[in-house]
Amino acid sequence: MKKGEWENGKWTRWIQASAPPRPTLGDSVVLRDEHQSATGPLKPGDVGEVVKDDGSSRPLWVSFGGRTGFYRPTELRVADLGSGKVGFLLQQVFDATKKLKSTVDRKGPVPDGFTVVQVNQLFLPCWEDLYMQQVKQVLSSRGRKLDSSPCSTVRTQGAAAALVASADQNPLSPNAEALLLHGTKPDAVTSILSSRFDREKCEFGLAGRGFYFAERITKADEYTIESNGLCCVIVCRVLLGHVNVCADANWSRDKNQSLEDSVCKTGDYDSVMVDRERSRDTFREFVVYDTAAVPSALCGLVQEMDPWSEGLPVDAMDCAPLL
């Protein structure tokens, strides 16, 4: 199959990659998509075990916490619980945050799913201490204002604690920090690694000139540029602090500038959340303006995919810990 091709009414973009190993007896497997079993629903990312396999191309008999049933191999992914733990957790984030919606930022149809192919570490140690000092300052200065923070509702938070704990890092402050996704082009990763996020390179967006992050992989993917069949998504630990929430469906340049000014000039807020999920049933985006608010990240190479097709790529490889 060639890249950028329609098949059975669905858009697929592929790389030349060998298919992953077919799950066999005793393998731990991850469910790719929601499934209705006889005893109740199963969610994407649920882990089960292959308990019967006759070696043929027929469906496998799999147990999910005692709930057993037949599943096609393409409905499952072999769980990588060893060196690929970060990739495994990141795949859970992608499975849980995809949404079949699009905005004017997307070029082409919405992919049906996303597969983590590789995860690399972007560690910026010289800024870690500065970041933690800033977190303490925000927690101290904002106080009770953080009680109503949307941080705890960010859709990546389910796996955030596990991702951070996997590297023995300081836990996230639930009312001030979040793990968020930033879609970008591959050559931007080198720039971010060497000089961090650079506000001078930012375009003027819905909340002014800042660093934009998504809580859903589908939104982050709208900003990616495919290279060799892969897209690049950066997973960042972001200090949101006191968030200026805006769900206004009507936008103007003056409105956009006022959101930026609420952080950069008046200092009333630490970040902005543009809530178009509420006003247009699309996505929420989070915007920060201070480079110090983003200390470190993972760079995930991602393949847009149709989860029901054959020929899926290998799972996460060469994973480095989240810092």
Side-chain angles (χ1 to χ4, degrees), residues 199 202-213 223 244-246 251-264 271-276 285-289:
R199 196 164 166 222
C202 296
E203 297 181 0
F204 195 89
L206 288 175
R209 194 182 303 277
F211 313 124
Y212 286 71
F213 298 90
Y223 300 114
N244 186 357
V245 179
C246 182
W251 295 90
S252 66
R253 191 172 182 87
D254 289 342
K255 177 70 174 178
N256 300 4
Q257 187 63 56
S258 70
L259 291 173
E260 178 182 333
D261 291 346
S262 72
V263 177
C264 300
S271 64
V272 171
M273 182 180 81
V274 179
D275 190 356
R276 285 201 155 183
E285 286 189 271
F286 299 82
V287 191
V288 295
Y289 305 88

Side-chain angles (χ1 to χ4, degrees), residues 41-61:
L42 295 170
K43 305 184 299 297
D46 283 352
V47 179
E49 181 181 357
V50 179
V51 294
K52 185 177 181 181
D53 174 23
D54 62 7
S56 70
S57 59
R58 289 184 292 186
L60 304 166
W61 187 250

Side-chain angles (χ1 to χ4, degrees), residues 151-275:
C151 292
S152 60
T153 68
V154 172
R155 287 174 173 79
T156 58
Q157 293 298 71
L163 278 166
V164 172
S166 69
D168 195 25
Q169 292 296 300
N170 292 321
L172 291 174
S173 300
N175 291 337
E177 296 179 88
L179 280 189
L180 295 169
L181 312 175
H182 179 79
T184 186
K185 52 189 177 181
D187 58 1
V189 175
T190 302
S191 173
I192 292 171
L193 178 59
S194 61
S195 59
R196 309 175 76 182
F197 286 92
D198 186 351
R199 196 164 166 222
E200 293 299 319
K201 298 178 181 178
C202 296
E203 297 181 0
F204 195 89
L206 288 175
R209 194 182 303 277
F211 313 124
Y212 286 71
F213 298 90
E215 62 179 345
R216 289 187 179 273
I217 178 60
T218 312
K219 180 58 183 176
D221 178 66
E222 291 190 338
Y223 300 114
T224 64
I225 296 178
E226 185 182 288
S227 177
N228 297 321
L230 294 175
C231 300
C232 184
V233 175
I234 301 177
V235 185
C236 302
R237 182 171 185 162
V238 182
L239 176 58
L240 295 176
H242 187 33
V243 183
N244 186 357
V245 179
C246 182
D248 192 347
N250 299 313
W251 295 90
S252 66
R253 191 172 182 87
D254 289 342
K255 177 70 174 178
N256 300 4
Q257 187 63 56
S258 70
L259 291 173
E260 178 182 333
D261 291 346
S262 72
V263 177
C264 300
K265 287 190 176 181
T266 68
D268 294 333
Y269 298 91
D270 303 302
S271 64
V272 171
M273 182 180 81
V274 179
D275 190 356

